[in-house]
């Protein structure tokens, strides 16, 4: 049986080393110019170091090139991917089809992971991009568990599913925060906004707080809750979903490290025996709940919501 990959988003090279120690199998990194909503900023030099470390421990390294590439950015794609090929990364996550064209023109052969956030919802489209160079589809967070299993059964490409962390609900290319503060005659540096973990949109009617930040890709608004599937992993593992992702954006590295360790225990217990996993899954959930930030309630996202057609 092929074992499912545990994919994590590290905040730094030091954090990546910690995550290797606690059992992560793969890592998604990158830099803001090319990638969206990354847990940390990794330059080309950082990626070189990360590739060396992951290779030493037989881990996978993927780089996010999933931004929206308008004419002012598109010429930078080919040189960047050529550098990634020289480094020897294992995959490139993309959403904009400009990446496919630039990759072909640059003679780059790194496998592609198709990721378009909310629109990756069926195996027909996943297979379409599979025929155009993608070997993996990163599924939308708005899918039910039943729909994910159906996609996995019919997809010709690998399937990646997020199992922990927050979900991006909205992105605008506009500087909404910057415009708001300018309207109030207040100045706020963009560099600080992306690192600010205490900015929220407060919905008093629903008693929800939505994390929000702004970077050079625009404004990003996230879900008020964190997905947590540690006590519901067996169906995903039964379906042999290829990759399970822990998204660490806007969380402390120590928290992400602890969470990764718990999921490693859960996955290893499942592969030992389904009974072992069932024995420990509630305790693992309780341990996560104990360290969960008070403003980030845990739920199961859309996994068990009924789909209405």
């Amino acid at each position: 049986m092929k074992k499912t990959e545990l994919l994590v988003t590290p905040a730094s090279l030091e954090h990546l080393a910690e995550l290797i120690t606690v059992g992560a199998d793969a890592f998604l990194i990158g830099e803001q110019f090319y990638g969206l909503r990354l847990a940390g900023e990794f330059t080309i030099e950082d990626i070189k170091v990360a590739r060396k470390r992951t290779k030493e421990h037989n881990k996978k390294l993927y780089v996010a090139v999933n931004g929206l590439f308008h004419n002012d950015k598109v010429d930078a794609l080919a040189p960047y991917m050529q550098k990634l090929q020289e480094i020897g990364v294992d995959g490139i996550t993309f959403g904009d089809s400009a990446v496919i064209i630039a990759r072909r023109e640059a003679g780059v052969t790194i496998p592609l992971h198709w990721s378009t956030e909310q629109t990756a919802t069926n195996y027909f489209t996943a297979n379409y991009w599979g025929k155009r160079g993608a070997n993996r589809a990163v599924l939308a967070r708005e899918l039910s568990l039943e729909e994910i299993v159906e996609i996995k059964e019919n997809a010709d490409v690998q399937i990646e599913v997020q199992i922990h962390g927050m979900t991006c609900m909205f992105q605008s290319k506009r500087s909404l925060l910057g415009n708001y503060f300018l309207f109030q005659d207040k100045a706020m540096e963009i560099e600080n906004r992306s690192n600010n973990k205490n900015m929220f949109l407060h919905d008093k009617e629903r008693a929800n707080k939505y994390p929000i930040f702004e970077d050079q890709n625009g404004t990003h608004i996230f879900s008020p809750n964190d997905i947590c599937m540690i006590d519901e992993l067996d169906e995903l593992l039964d379906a042999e979903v290829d990759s399970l992702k822990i998204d660490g954006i806007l969380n402390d590295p120590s928290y992400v490290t602890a969470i990764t360790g718990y999921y490693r225990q859960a996955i290893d217990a499942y592969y030992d025996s389904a009974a072992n996993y069932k024995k420990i899954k509630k305790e693992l959930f309780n341990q996560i709940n104990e360290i969960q930030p008070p403003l980030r309630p845990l739920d199961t996202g859309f996994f068990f919501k009924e789909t209405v057609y």
Side-chain angles (χ1 to χ4, degrees), residues 186-202:
K186 295 178 181 178
M188 192 175 186
E189 290 293 330
I190 246 185
E191 294 85 352
N192 295 332
R193 287 182 212 142
S194 62
N195 295 323
N196 194 323
K197 299 177 183 177
N198 298 308
M199 297 187 71
F200 300 92
L201 288 177
H202 191 190

Side-chain angles (χ1 to χ4, degrees), residues 139 144-154 235-236 239 241:
L139 297 189
S144 68
L145 184 57
E146 183 180 350
E147 289 167 324
I148 290 169
V149 172
E150 181 189 6
I151 291 171
K152 174 57 188 171
E153 289 174 347
N154 293 279
E235 287 192 59
L236 290 167
V241 170

Side-chain angles (χ1 to χ4, degrees), residues 105-290:
E105 291 177 349
V108 171
T109 57
I110 303 170
L112 295 175
H113 298 173
W114 174 62
S115 175
T116 54
E117 300 291 338
Q118 290 91 346
T119 62
T121 58
N122 61 83
Y123 62 85
F124 295 102
T125 315
N127 291 341
Y128 172 88
W129 290 109
K131 293 173 183 176
R132 284 152 183 81
N135 73 342
R136 176 180 293 188
V138 181
L139 297 189
R141 284 73 168 167
E142 292 79 9
L143 292 171
S144 68
L145 184 57
E146 183 180 350
E147 289 167 324
I148 290 169
V149 172
E150 181 189 6
I151 291 171
K152 174 57 188 171
E153 289 174 347
N154 293 279
D156 298 327
V157 295
Q158 296 175 12
I159 296 299
E160 179 185 310
V161 175
Q162 182 178 329
I163 53 167
H164 198 95
M166 61 179 67
T167 300
C168 181
M169 298 170 55
F170 172 85
Q171 179 192 352
S172 171
K173 286 285 285 183
R174 292 177 293 169
S175 302
L176 301 182
L177 286 173
N179 294 339
Y180 171 75
F181 283 108
L182 285 173
F183 179 75
Q184 291 195 322
D185 293 325
K186 295 178 181 178
M188 192 175 186
E189 290 293 330
I190 246 185
E191 294 85 352
N192 295 332
R193 287 182 212 142
S194 62
N195 295 323
N196 194 323
K197 299 177 183 177
N198 298 308
M199 297 187 71
F200 300 92
L201 288 177
H202 191 190
D203 183 344
K204 292 183 180 179
E205 185 178 336
R206 294 182 176 86
N208 283 335
K209 290 186 176 181
Y210 303 91
I212 180 172
F213 73 82
E214 182 183 305
D215 61 12
Q216 65 176 263
N217 293 299
T219 307
H220 313 261
I221 303 174
F222 294 85
S223 59
N225 298 349
D226 278 348
I227 300 168
C228 179
M229 287 290 287
I230 196 160
D231 56 341
E232 302 284 356
L233 288 178
D234 41 357
E235 287 192 59
L236 290 167
L237 295 170
D238 285 346
E240 298 185 2
V241 170
D242 301 276
S243 183
L244 300 178
K245 181 184 179 184
I246 297 171
D247 196 332
I249 189 169
L250 298 183
N251 274 310
D252 289 332
S254 59
Y255 167 86
V256 178
T257 301
I259 294 297
T260 302
Y262 293 138
Y263 276 94
R264 180 78 272 157
Q265 289 180 55
I267 293 169
D268 288 349
Y270 168 87
Y271 284 119
D272 186 42
S273 76
N276 283 350
Y277 167 68
K278 289 178 180 177
K279 285 179 185 176
I280 67 169
K281 65 178 187 176
K282 287 300 178 186
E283 178 56 30
L284 291 174
F285 175 83
N286 292 336
Q287 289 177 337
I288 289 177
N289 210 24
E290 285 178 9

Side-chain angles (χ1 to χ4, degrees), residues 33-34 36 66-70 72-73 95-96 171 173 217:
F33 183 88
Y34 299 98
L36 295 178
N66 58 341
L68 300 176
F69 296 99
H70 293 187
D72 61 331
K73 278 189 170 185
D96 193 323
Q171 179 192 352
K173 286 285 285 183
N217 293 299

